[in-house]
Amino acid sequence: MLYIKLFGDWKVYKYGNEFNDFTSKKALKLLFYILLSGRSKVSVEELLRTFWPGYTPEYSRKNLNAQLYYIRKDLEIPYDYLRNERDYVFINLSYFPSDYSEFMKALDNADAKKASE
């Protein structure tokens, strides 16, 4: 079970314990970026421009694939929940609960009390 804390100090909890043993800090930033986009698919082009500006497409794509692998390996995420296919990275947002997603849901439901918590 994962939980992502995005308000205040960003943290990842795995099975209820804070997890800090990431293979790559860039992988963690990539995960946060994808989660904060709020989209279930993010274009590979957007990710390459954001994380590897100025590098060749081959180099950038290879690095993107490696970072996604590190996220899945470190957090024990099944491939189906975070995968890249051709031009998009797909993520199952429900597999990554966070304080941010709870906040956005409260706003959508016009629940000011829940949003302020």
Side-chain angles (χ1 to χ4, degrees), residues 56-69:
T56 66
E58 297 80 21
Y59 176 86
S60 301
R61 190 173 277 275
K62 201 179 283 188
N63 273 276
L64 174 61
N65 292 340
Q67 300 307 317
L68 292 171
Y69 169 78

Side-chain angles (χ1 to χ4, degrees), residues 2 40 44 61 64-93 95-96:
L2 293 175
S40 60
V44 166
R61 190 173 277 275
L64 174 61
N65 292 340
Q67 300 307 317
L68 292 171
Y69 169 78
Y70 295 148
I71 294 168
R72 286 190 300 267
K73 181 178 99 21
D74 290 346
L75 298 177
E76 300 173 23
I77 299 167
Y79 181 81
D80 289 348
Y81 293 106
L82 179 65
R83 68 186 193 288
N84 56 328
E85 294 178 8
R86 295 187 185 227
D87 297 330
Y88 293 95
V89 171
F90 296 89
I91 188 166
N92 181 337
L93 294 171
Y95 192 80
F96 299 87

